[in-house]
């Protein structure tokens, strides 16, 4: 292709033919050519012409239309990205041509291509409509009024629907949105009603004669699109036009809800899509326009209620059933709830709408068996908001807001009836008990103190004992799996209400279900155990290591066996349970050895094809937890763990499994920290790899590399004297400090070096360190950097003395330290946060006041007074009073272990030490006693400085501190 000119259609067509090839090589070449051609002038027009060319192959046309849509999405209003920092936008003349051609070519194209071009139109309109594309709406309206073919009408309505969708999530307070909406309403509200009424008359006429099924389907699809546009245009507020013409709209809505059509017409579900869209419109009006809508409400409640009474359990009617029940739920919680208050109506709603829709259907059983991931996602992860079971329970909850006693009586009676039916024939009637359990669980409400309670339906402990425990104690873990899953879910939901002793007695039963053949059952068993271990009483974990110790070996054995079951090799619920158990348990040798073998085995398999990032994260958390809970207590396990883990971790680096590098480095850091010097050659070899600049080129790995580097610096600091390693470390620091996203990591490295090395080792490099820091400070004076600099300088002072800090800084430039104090240290000291950081900087500042000639000299009285004032502010004022909001840079999580592309392992975490832990306990006491000592040496000097330079509030605070610690400043 010639990147300098428009792409010939023949060449472009051949590219798409090759892009559809089953052979990878032609496909790759075609994709590369298309990528290169994307920068050619007229490329988007060539795509549009090919997509709309009747002579082109259908597959090629569709591929070109998809590529056209994606090209517009990437190039119409491109934003720079990491992959493409300088995107090449479509030129304005080319954009104008596209706008002129797009609607006409969309209407003349076959359905598959029309759909893609409609989405492309939506992409353009999202950026340009209406201000930069004023001709679009008139063109759509003109075409809509003149069109007689419903394929074209529906194409236009679909385009309008995609354009107006943005109003569904818009805020009424946005003036720009309101202006755009008014423009759309002025141009489209009347034509929309015209099309809707014209099509309604057409449907009536078609039904009066021998109906053309294909035409009817198109007309009902047209009505569905009109209803969706109605929803969009009414989402912000009730427009005047729709209020004036509410009667026409509502009459047609009621007709579609009330009219039963012949089975052949109903069969394909198109009519139900119209009804579902109408129910969504009714629910919208009930929420937003209740006063204007109330005249029609009674009739619609009756129509929707009747429709649901006759609705079949078929999955084809799921969407209609859900939207209809949502409408009734909204009404039930409104001021019009009396529509449900009739003693005859409420039992009918429960018996004919609520309870039938809660029952397990064949579709639910199939999903349970064939797609356990989706079943669990719906059942316990809250994505079931639009399922029949969930929405039926929501209706029951809604009615109970105003009719609690009646709902309680009806539902409790129904639960007992279901349990009795189950007892009559346990094998045949298991769905009755499943439904009863689901009702209790779904209607549970959160208690203010935490946990769940079964609302007003049953006594939790009694129901648990009579209905749930027998299922958990069933010997056959594979029998009635849906019922077992329901019982485990009940245990999980009400885990806080089940007494501790009861739960511990039942734990072995739950452990048995970990090897159930049902993926859902063993996932729920794992989830139950994991959630149980998180229960707290009074802020303390309810279950300790001693509670699970008797079952630990069996528990871990079954968990690893569950990972060998079909389709559960990467089961996140099982791995999360392994992680949680290892984080709680006291892991001895007999459990630790098989656990590390099991985890390494899983890790080896995952490395072959990493698929599930959630499972992978839990896997590495489990490894980190096992190291922390076993090796730190039993040093004999360290060598066993190294022999098991090293080959797997090293293979990740050798085979360049990039997403696992951050995890591997964190695990290596743990292993370094639990070792005793001298480290083995394997560790020292890794140290050399760590110091290589190549290892630091992946941003996602940098926080983990810093963590690993710090572990080495703390464990074997003397190794930095060998082979120029300190120079390499400082080179890493220099690179980190040069970028805002990693500058705090650079300080982390630097602080670790200062904490662990003698000054004699660091002295030859200190000038380089200061030069790098001050150059960065001069270039970009962000609050975050300044705070990190103050903390670092404070650390140098407390580790190596005031003189070394002052003299090494002044060696860069005479009196530079005083400048740093005046411009950065003193004004920003109050911004320091964190207990250790405040203690460190307050101590360093106090020592400067009392030890350094820079502040002790008589000519430095003002500077000394300002420093004194800053220290009092830091120590005496609450953080929210003294710390200003940082507006200079966005907070991207500067602390070690946080990054947008970095996943920190909680169980591999290491608390940073306090460099003053055994030296100074209370920085406030150190401050006032140091001042008192200084004042005793030079009586009368400090009171003058305090009176002249300190803030009045801080004077009072200083007096209070002196009284607390019984010190006098004279």
């Amino acid at each position: 292709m010639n990147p300098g000119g428009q792409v010939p259609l023949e060449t472009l067509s051949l590219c798409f033919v090759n892009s559809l090839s089953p052979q990878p090589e032609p496909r790759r070449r075609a994709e590369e050519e298309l990528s290169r051609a994307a920068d050619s002038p007229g490329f988007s027009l060539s795509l549009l012409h090919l997509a709309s060319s009747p002579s082109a192959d259908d597959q090629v046309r569709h591929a070109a239309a998809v590529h056209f849509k994606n090209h517009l999405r990437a190039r119409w209003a491109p934003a720079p990205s990491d992959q493409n920092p300088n995107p090449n936008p479509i030129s304005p003349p080319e954009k104008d041509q596209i706008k002129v051609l797009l609607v006409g070519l969309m209407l003349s194209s076959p359905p598959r291509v029309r759909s893609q071009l409609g989405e492309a139109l939506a992409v353009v309109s999202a950026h340009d409509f209406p201000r930069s594309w004023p001709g679009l709406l008139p063109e759509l309206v003109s075409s809509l009024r003149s069109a007689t073919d419903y394929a074209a009408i529906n194409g236009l309505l679909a385009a309008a629907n995609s354009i107006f969708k943005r109003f569904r999530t818009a805020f009424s307070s946005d003036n720009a949105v309101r202006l755009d909406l008014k423009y759309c309403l002025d141009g489209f509200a009347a034509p929309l009603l015209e099309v809707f009424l014209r099509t309604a008359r057409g449907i009536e006429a078609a039904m009066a004669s021998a109906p053309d099924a294909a035409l009817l389907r198109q007309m009902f699809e047209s009505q569905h699109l009109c209803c969706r546009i109605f929803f969009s245009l009414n989402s912000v507020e009730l427009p005047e036009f729709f209020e004036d013409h509410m009667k026409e709209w509502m009459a047609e809505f009621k007709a579609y809800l009330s009219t039963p059509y012949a089975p052949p017409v109903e069969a394909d579900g198109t009519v139900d899509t119209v009804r579902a869209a109408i129910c969504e419109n009714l629910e919208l009006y009930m929420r937003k326009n209740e006063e204007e809508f109330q005249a029609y409400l009674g009739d619609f409640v009756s129509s929707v209620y009747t429709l649901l009474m006759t609705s079949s359990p078929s999955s084809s009617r799921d969407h209609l059933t859900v939207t209809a029940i949502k409408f009734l739920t909204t009404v039930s919680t409104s001021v019009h709830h009396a529509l449900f208050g009739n003693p005859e109506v409420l039992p009918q709603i429960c018996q004919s709408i609520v309870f039938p829709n809660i029952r397990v259907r064949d579709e639910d059983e199939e999903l349970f068996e064939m797609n356990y991931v989706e079943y669990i996602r719906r059942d316990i992860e809250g994505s079931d908001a639009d399922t029949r079971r969930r929405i039926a329970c929501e209706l029951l909850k809604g009615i109970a807001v105003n009719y609690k006693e009646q709902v309680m009586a009806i539902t409790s009676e129904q639960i007992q009836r279901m349990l009795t039916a189950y007892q009559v024939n346990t094998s045949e009637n298991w769905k009755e008990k499943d439904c009863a359990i689901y009702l209790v669980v779904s209607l549970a409400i959160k208690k203010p103190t935490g946990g769940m309670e079964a609302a007003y339906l049953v006594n939790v402990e009694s129901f648990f004992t009579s209905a749930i425990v027998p299922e958990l104690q069933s010997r056959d873990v594979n029998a009635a799996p849906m019922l077992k899953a329901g019982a485990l879910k009940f245990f999980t939901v009400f885990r806080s209400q089940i007494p501790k002793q009861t739960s511990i007695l039942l734990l072995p039963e739950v452990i048995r279900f970990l090897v159930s053949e049902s993926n859902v059952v063993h996932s729920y068993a794992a989830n139950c155990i994991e959630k149980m271990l998180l229960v707290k009483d009074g802020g303390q974990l309810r279950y300790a290591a001693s509670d699970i110790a008797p079952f630990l070996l069996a528990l871990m054995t079954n968990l690893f066996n569950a990972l060998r079951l079909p389709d559960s090799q990467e089961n996140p619920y099982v791995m999360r349970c392994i992680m949680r158990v290892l984080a709680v348990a006291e892991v001895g040798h007999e459990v630790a050895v098989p656990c590390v073998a099991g985890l390494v085995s899983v890790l080896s398999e995952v490395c072959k094809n990493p698929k599930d990032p959630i499972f992978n994260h839990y896997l590495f958390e489990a490894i980190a937890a096992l190291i922390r809970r076993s090796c730190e207590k039993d040093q004999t396990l360290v060598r066993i763990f190294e022999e098991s883990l090293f080959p797997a971790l090293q293979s990740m680096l050798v085979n360049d499994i990039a997403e696992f590098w951050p995890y591997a480095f964190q695990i290596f850091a743990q292993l370094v920290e639990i070792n005793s010097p001298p480290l083995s050659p394997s560790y020292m070899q890794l140290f050399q790899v760590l110091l290589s600049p190549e290892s630091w080129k992946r941003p996602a790995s940098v926080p983990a590399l810093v963590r690993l580097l710090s572990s080495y610096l703390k464990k074997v600091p003397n190794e930095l004297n060998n082979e120029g390693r300190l120079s390499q470390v400082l080179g890493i620091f220099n690179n980190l400090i040069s970028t805002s996203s990693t500058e705090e990591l650079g300080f982390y490295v630097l602080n670790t070096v200062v904490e662990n090395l003698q000054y004699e080792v660091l002295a030859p490099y200190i000038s380089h360190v200061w030069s790098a820091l001050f150059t960065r400070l001069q270039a970009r004076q962000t609050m975050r950097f300044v705070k990190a600099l103050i903390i670092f300088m404070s650390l140098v002072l407390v580790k190596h003395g005031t003189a070394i800090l002052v003299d090494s800084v002044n060696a860069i430039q005479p009196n530079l330290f005083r400048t740093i104090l005046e411009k950065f240290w003193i004004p920003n000291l109050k911004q320091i946060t964190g207990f250790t950081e405040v203690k460190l900087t307050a101590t360093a500042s106090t020592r400067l006041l009392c030890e350094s000639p820079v502040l002790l000299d008589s000519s430095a009285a003002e500077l000394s007074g300002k420093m004194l004032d800053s220290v009092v502010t830091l120590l005496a004022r609450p953080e929210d009073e003294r710390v200003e909001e940082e507006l200079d840079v966005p907070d991207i999580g500067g602390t070690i272990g946080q990054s947008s592309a970095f996943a920190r392992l909680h169980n591999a975490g290491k608390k940073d030490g306090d460099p003053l832990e055994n030296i100074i306990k209370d920085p406030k006491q150190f401050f006032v006693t140091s001042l008192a000592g200084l004042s005793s040496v030079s009586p009368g000097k400090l009171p003058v400085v305090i009176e002249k330079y300190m803030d009045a509030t801080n004077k009072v605070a200083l007096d209070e501190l002196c009284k607390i610690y019984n010190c006098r400043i004279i």
Side-chain angles (χ1 to χ4, degrees):
M1 291 185 188
N2 177 11
Q6 192 164 333
V7 183
L9 293 192
E10 298 81 5
T11 308
L12 196 57
S13 178
L14 181 61
C15 257
F16 282 112
V17 169
N18 289 332
S19 74
L20 299 171
S21 169
Q23 300 300 319
E25 188 54 31
R27 197 166 62 242
R28 184 189 60 78
R29 284 200 305 270
E31 289 166 356
E32 287 177 354
E33 286 206 47
L34 288 170
S35 179
R36 285 196 299 271
D39 291 327
S40 304
F43 178 66
S44 50
L45 283 169
S46 297
L47 289 171
L48 179 58
H49 286 303
L50 180 60
S52 57
S53 171
S55 61
D57 177 80
D58 286 346
Q59 291 282 86
V60 168
R61 292 182 67 180
H62 182 254
V66 171
H67 203 88
F68 173 71
K69 173 192 70 177
N70 293 333
H71 182 73
L72 295 193
R73 187 172 284 143
R75 301 292 185 110
W76 196 271
S81 65
D82 292 339
Q83 292 76 24
N84 190 4
N86 298 301
N88 188 14
I90 298 169
S91 68
E94 194 171 338
K95 287 183 177 180
D96 292 339
Q97 285 183 271
I98 290 170
K99 291 177 191 175
V100 170
L101 296 170
L102 188 51
V103 174
L105 293 178
M106 178 188 75
L107 295 178
S108 64
S109 298
R112 290 177 72 212
V113 173
R114 186 188 307 131
S115 172
Q116 295 299 324
L117 295 184
E119 290 185 37
L121 186 146
V123 170
V124 176
S125 65
H127 294 288
D128 287 19
F129 178 79
R131 290 170 183 76
S132 300
W133 198 356
L136 175 60
L137 195 59
E139 184 178 5
L140 290 177
V141 171
S142 174
S143 300
L144 193 60
R145 282 180 163 150
S146 61
T148 55
D149 173 20
Y150 270 95
I153 290 172
N154 291 349
L156 290 162
L157 290 173
N161 183 41
S162 64
I163 293 168
F164 300 147
K165 271 181 184 177
R166 65 191 177 106
F167 296 123
R168 296 179 193 175
T169 54
F171 294 104
S172 59
S173 57
D174 190 328
N175 287 330
V177 167
R178 293 171 71 89
L179 288 172
D180 288 353
L181 177 58
K182 184 180 185 307
Y183 172 80
C184 295
L185 287 165
D186 291 345
F188 206 81
L192 178 68
L193 181 58
E194 291 171 17
V195 173
F196 188 65
L197 294 177
R198 185 171 73 237
T199 304
R201 303 292 81 80
I203 290 173
E204 291 173 4
M207 294 304 299
S209 59
D212 178 343
L215 177 60
L216 268 176
R217 189 180 301 111
Q218 287 185 321
M219 287 195 285
F220 278 119
E221 175 58 24
S222 175
Q223 298 301 70
H224 172 247
L225 289 166
C226 287
C227 287
R228 299 311 293 146
I229 294 171
F230 177 100
F231 188 93
S232 298
L233 295 179
N234 282 271
S235 289
V236 174
E237 60 186 0
L238 178 61
E240 184 179 348
F241 179 89
F242 285 92
E243 185 175 3
D244 294 343
H245 294 272
M246 192 180 292
K247 186 175 181 180
E248 293 105 302
W249 282 103
M250 296 303 148
E252 295 305 323
F253 286 174
K254 187 171 184 297
Y256 289 121
L257 293 176
S258 307
T259 305
Y261 296 93
V265 178
E266 296 270 10
D268 70 352
T270 311
V271 180
D272 278 351
T273 64
V274 177
R275 292 172 179 145
I278 290 170
C279 288
E280 290 185 84
N281 291 339
L282 300 180
E283 201 261 340
L284 174 71
Y285 265 45
M286 190 62 226
R287 283 189 291 108
K288 295 207 166 195
N289 312 312
E290 176 267 328
E291 184 179 342
E292 295 84 355
F293 180 57
Q294 62 181 336
Y296 305 93
L297 183 58
D299 285 344
F300 277 117
V301 168
S302 178
S303 297
V304 171
Y305 170 67
T306 304
L307 183 66
L308 285 168
M309 295 278 281
T310 58
S311 180
S312 76
S314 168
S315 60
S316 64
R317 305 204 82 179
D318 282 359
H319 184 52
L320 170 60
T321 302
V322 167
T323 53
I325 294 177
K326 273 186 179 178
F327 167 64
L328 294 183
T329 304
T330 302
V331 177
S332 74
T333 56
S334 73
V335 294
H336 302 284
H337 60 78
L339 291 167
F340 298 89
N342 189 314
E344 295 179 2
V345 171
L346 190 51
Q348 282 187 329
I349 289 175
C350 291
Q351 296 296 339
S352 302
I353 297 175
V354 175
F355 300 145
N357 282 298
I358 290 175
R359 293 186 183 278
V360 172
R361 298 176 298 157
D362 292 343
E363 292 87 346
D364 299 319
E365 290 187 75
E366 183 178 342
L367 189 67
F368 183 93
E369 294 171 3
M370 305 301 293
N371 189 349
Y372 85 93
V373 174
E374 177 61 20
Y375 182 90
I376 294 174
R377 193 176 69 86
R378 291 184 184 183
D379 193 43
I380 66 171
E381 292 189 359
S383 69
D384 63 340
D386 289 332
T387 63
R388 288 187 183 224
R389 297 189 102 185
R390 168 56 59 190
I391 205 66
C393 284
E394 291 304 312
L395 174 58
L396 203 58
K397 285 182 180 178
I399 298 172
V401 170
N402 296 292
Y403 304 99
K404 178 178 177 180
E405 297 300 323
Q406 295 94 315
V407 169
M408 179 178 69
I410 294 169
T411 308
S412 297
E413 183 182 338
Q414 180 67 21
I415 288 170
Q416 292 306 315
R417 192 180 298 123
M418 291 171 172
L419 294 176
T420 301
Y422 171 74
Q423 292 299 334
V424 171
N425 190 333
T426 57
S427 59
E428 291 294 325
N429 296 340
W430 66 267
K431 291 183 181 180
E432 298 292 325
K433 186 172 184 179
D434 175 84
C435 188
I437 294 172
Y438 187 88
L439 264 173
V440 176
V441 171
S442 297
L443 295 178
I445 56 175
K446 282 191 174 181
K447 297 196 301 183
T449 55
M452 305 290 285
E453 63 181 357
Y456 32 75
L457 297 176
V458 297
N459 176 279
V460 170
E461 287 190 47
S462 174
F463 188 86
F464 184 74
T465 302
S466 62
I468 304 301
V469 170
E471 298 302 327
L472 299 178
Q473 292 178 336
S474 170
R475 291 297 92 194
D476 187 352
V477 296
N478 296 315
M482 290 193 83
L483 195 53
K484 300 296 190 297
L488 288 163
K489 180 181 175 183
F490 185 98
F491 194 178
T492 306
V493 170
F494 296 106
R495 60 193 179 277
S496 297
Q497 281 63 55
I498 309 301
K500 177 178 178 178
Q501 196 57 41
T502 302
S503 297
I504 291 175
L505 288 173
L506 287 169
L507 184 56
E509 309 295 351
V510 179
I511 291 172
R512 288 189 305 109
F513 285 99
L514 289 169
V515 291
S516 168
E517 293 173 0
S518 166
N519 297 97
V520 175
V521 171
H522 63 245
S523 297
Y524 278 21
N527 187 60
C528 180
I529 295 167
E530 193 263 335
K531 292 290 188 288
M532 198 171 78
L533 293 177
L534 292 173
V535 174
K536 290 185 177 181
D537 293 323
Q540 298 295 316
L541 289 173
R542 178 184 291 181
Y543 301 96
S546 58
D547 294 318
I548 61 173
F551 323 109
L552 185 57
L553 186 57
L555 172 56
M556 298 311 300
T557 300
N558 280 13
L559 282 167
F560 281 107
N561 285 338
L563 291 175
R564 299 187 183 98
L565 293 169
D567 298 323
S568 273
Q569 290 88 347
E570 294 187 26
N571 187 313
Y573 302 98
V574 175
M575 186 52 71
R576 186 168 63 189
C577 185
I578 291 173
M579 173 201 75
R580 189 73 60 206
V581 172
L582 292 175
V584 171
E586 293 291 345
V587 185
H589 195 282
E590 71 285 354
V591 174
V593 173
C595 278
V596 73
L599 290 170
V600 169
S601 175
V602 174
L603 182 58
S604 299
E605 288 301 312
V606 165
C607 285
K608 294 175 183 176
N609 182 19
K611 290 179 291 189
D612 185 347
I614 295 174
F615 176 87
N616 296 338
H617 185 82
Y618 291 145
L619 169 60
F620 283 102
E621 283 282 12
I623 294 170
L626 182 59
I627 293 171
R628 182 167 60 88
R629 300 291 292 181
S630 59
C631 291
E632 290 183 6
K633 295 179 176 62
D634 183 356
Q635 285 289 312
T636 64
L637 287 169
V638 174
R639 184 55 55 84
I640 296 172
F641 274 51
E642 290 173 345
E643 290 174 354
S644 298
L645 286 168
F646 255 63
L649 296 175
Q650 287 173 329
S651 73
M652 294 175 201
L653 307 182
V654 173
N655 296 322
D656 198 22
I657 306 174
E659 60 264 50
F660 287 173
W661 277 30
Y663 294 122
F665 291 135
Q666 289 176 85
I667 300 297
F668 276 131
Q670 265 193 299
L671 293 172
V672 169
E673 286 160 0
I674 61 173
N675 261 275
S676 300
L679 296 180
S680 70
S682 296
Y683 284 108
M684 297 316 298
Q685 186 179 2
L686 176 64
F687 191 25
Q688 284 303 115
V689 173
L690 172 64
L691 296 177
S692 165
E694 290 296 315
S695 301
W696 295 78
K697 289 186 176 179
R698 288 192 171 121
S701 297
V702 168
L705 286 165
V706 169
R707 166 71 200 286
L708 178 56
L709 177 58
S710 298
S711 299
Y712 274 107
L713 296 181
K714 291 174 182 176
K715 189 63 63 173
V716 285
N718 294 332
E719 289 292 336
L720 292 183
N721 287 328
N722 302 327
E723 303 174 14
R725 287 172 181 160
L726 180 54
S727 178
Q728 290 175 287
V729 169
L730 293 176
I732 291 168
F733 145 76
N734 209 11
N735 288 332
L736 293 173
I737 216 78
S738 64
T739 305
S740 59
S741 61
T742 57
E743 61 188 20
E744 288 193 317
L745 296 174
F747 275 111
Y748 192 86
V749 171
L750 204 52
N751 292 344
T752 308
V753 169
V754 170
E755 276 194 78
N756 293 282
L757 293 187
Q758 296 297 319
Y759 185 70
E760 293 74 20
V761 178
L762 184 60
Y765 304 94
I766 196 68
S767 295
H768 160 80
V769 170
W770 293 129
S771 296
L773 290 174
F774 297 148
T775 300
R776 176 71 173 146
L777 180 65
Q778 198 171 20
R780 194 162 183 265
Q781 297 175 13
T782 65
M783 179 61 67
R784 191 174 61 188
F785 185 90
V786 170
K787 285 163 60 177
L789 178 62
I790 294 170
I791 291 167
F792 170 68
M793 295 178 79
S794 298
L795 181 63
V796 172
L797 186 151
V798 300
K799 292 295 292 185
H800 303 301
T802 306
I804 283 179
L805 172 66
V806 175
D807 294 346
S808 63
V809 171
N810 285 337
I812 304 298
Q813 181 181 311
N815 294 320
L816 178 58
F817 186 77
R818 181 179 179 124
T819 303
I820 297 294
L821 278 182
E822 287 177 333
K823 291 188 176 181
F824 300 105
W825 190 313
I826 293 172
N828 297 296
L829 184 61
K830 64 182 180 180
Q831 303 294 337
I832 302 298
T833 57
F835 175 80
T836 302
E837 289 82 357
V838 168
K839 179 181 177 181
L840 176 67
T841 52
T843 300
S845 301
T846 301
R847 289 185 58 180
L848 280 171
L849 274 167
C850 300
E851 298 174 9
S852 175
V854 176
L855 292 174
L856 290 174
D857 191 272
S858 57
S859 63
E862 181 178 356
L863 190 62
S864 179
K866 289 179 179 179
M867 174 66 95
L868 190 59
D869 193 62
S870 290
V871 178
V872 174
T873 299
L874 178 68
L875 292 175
R877 292 196 187 181
E879 193 173 292
D880 57 353
E881 286 185 19
R882 61 180 173 81
V883 176
E884 299 169 4
E885 186 179 357
E886 295 183 35
L887 299 175
D888 45 14
V889 290
D891 182 9
I892 58 167
T895 56
I896 181 68
Q898 299 293 325
S899 169
S900 58
F902 170 69
R904 182 177 66 86
L905 291 176
H906 172 78
N907 287 303
K910 191 79 172 178
K911 184 180 178 182
D912 290 333
D914 177 1
L916 296 168
E917 184 175 10
N918 299 316
I919 303 170
I920 293 172
K921 299 295 183 185
D922 184 349
K924 294 178 182 178
Q925 183 178 22
F926 177 73
F927 173 61
V928 292
T929 54
S930 297
L931 289 182
L934 179 63
S935 71
S936 66
V937 175
S938 305
K941 184 177 179 182
L942 269 180
V944 173
V945 172
I946 291 168
E947 182 61 33
K948 189 172 183 179
Y949 297 110
M950 279 190 70
D951 176 83
T953 305
N954 284 347
K955 290 177 189 176
V956 174
L958 181 57
D959 285 341
E960 287 297 317
L961 287 173
C962 288
K963 290 176 185 176
I964 291 170
Y965 295 104
N966 195 27
C967 293
R968 291 179 61 220
I969 299 175
I970 57 175

